[in-house]
Amino acid sequence: MALMTTVLAASLALTAAVGVPKPEQGAVSVAGAFRSADDTGYGAVTYAPGPVPLGSRIHVTERVGDDGTWIELRLEGVQAGRAFGAHVHRSPCGADPADAGSHYQDAVDPVQPSVDAAYANPRNEAWLDLTTDAHGHARSQTSVGWRIRSGEARSVVVHEHTTATMHGHAGSAGPRLACITVPFV
């Protein structure tokens, strides 16, 4: 029992050290296989079956704590050797890529869509850009010092390319290729 307690304490210390909020504060995990956007309902949809094929998989995990929010994104079986942009969005996925709405922002830019680097940046939004390996698998994570406001974020969208940071283009990542609806805590 003492060894288990020591291992648990060490695990929690490591979690805190790398900026991952303690899971007991709140956690959500959603996984799914991408299906056609013509299929309505809850889950993962692809709008571009070339880079994000039907049946490829996505997994999103969110953990929240007193220090903020940690989010992980994993893709499996998508186009190999490719960089994608990915962000938390305000609305659930739908048949139209635009259904997911704009990026979730902790401090909301009064001008939408936001391309002002003062608002569209990885400290104010949850950016999860990633690059796939030779098998089409990738993993990314982000940790931010805030919690998502209840009901104001509903999905993670995978975009055509990595996220731009230049003023006037900040937060842009090209067309929406795929989406998964996530019930953020």
Side-chain angles (χ1 to χ4, degrees), residues 152-168:
E152 291 191 29
R154 296 280 192 234
S155 62
V156 170
V157 173
V158 177
H159 291 268
E160 182 178 40
H161 52 77
T162 58
T163 309
T165 57
M166 302 86 55
H167 186 73

Side-chain angles (χ1 to χ4, degrees), residues 61-87:
T61 302
E62 175 204 27
R63 292 190 186 112
V64 296
D66 295 336
D67 294 339
T69 304
W70 175 83
I71 302 170
E72 178 187 58
L73 170 64
R74 286 186 281 148
L75 295 175
E76 298 174 3
V78 299
Q79 187 175 15
R82 171 158 185 175
F84 294 94
H87 315 103

Side-chain angles (χ1 to χ4, degrees), residues 2-40:
L3 176 60
M4 181 180 277
T5 302
T6 303
V7 170
L8 179 59
S11 173
L12 290 174
L14 177 61
T15 296
V18 296
V20 178
K22 296 178 206 168
E24 67 268 13
Q25 297 289 323
V28 104
S29 186
V30 176
F34 286 109
R35 58 187 170 66
S36 169
D38 297 334
D39 297 336
T40 59

Side-chain angles (χ1 to χ4, degrees), residues 60-61 70-73 75 84-88 125-131 139-143 156-157 163 184:
V60 176
T61 302
W70 175 83
I71 302 170
E72 178 187 58
L73 170 64
L75 295 175
F84 294 94
H87 315 103
V88 171
E125 298 181 350
W127 291 6
L128 295 154
D129 293 5
L130 63 173
T131 301
R139 176 184 170 274
S140 69
Q141 63 183 13
T142 190
S143 189
V156 170
V157 173
T163 309
F184 288 101

Side-chain angles (χ1 to χ4, degrees), residues 71-154:
I71 302 170
E72 178 187 58
L73 170 64
R74 286 186 281 148
L75 295 175
E76 298 174 3
V78 299
Q79 187 175 15
R82 171 158 185 175
F84 294 94
H87 315 103
V88 171
H89 280 249
R90 296 182 54 85
S91 300
C93 308
D96 186 316
D99 289 343
S102 59
H103 294 182
Y104 175 85
Q105 295 181 319
D106 184 46
V108 180
D109 185 344
V111 177
Q112 294 291 324
S114 180
V115 291
D116 181 343
Y119 293 95
N121 63 66
R123 294 167 312 286
N124 193 48
E125 298 181 350
W127 291 6
L128 295 154
D129 293 5
L130 63 173
T131 301
T132 57
D133 64 16
H135 303 287
H137 298 161
R139 176 184 170 274
S140 69
Q141 63 183 13
T142 190
S143 189
V144 292
W146 39 264
R147 293 180 70 168
I148 294 172
R149 291 178 295 280
S150 180
E152 291 191 29
R154 296 280 192 234

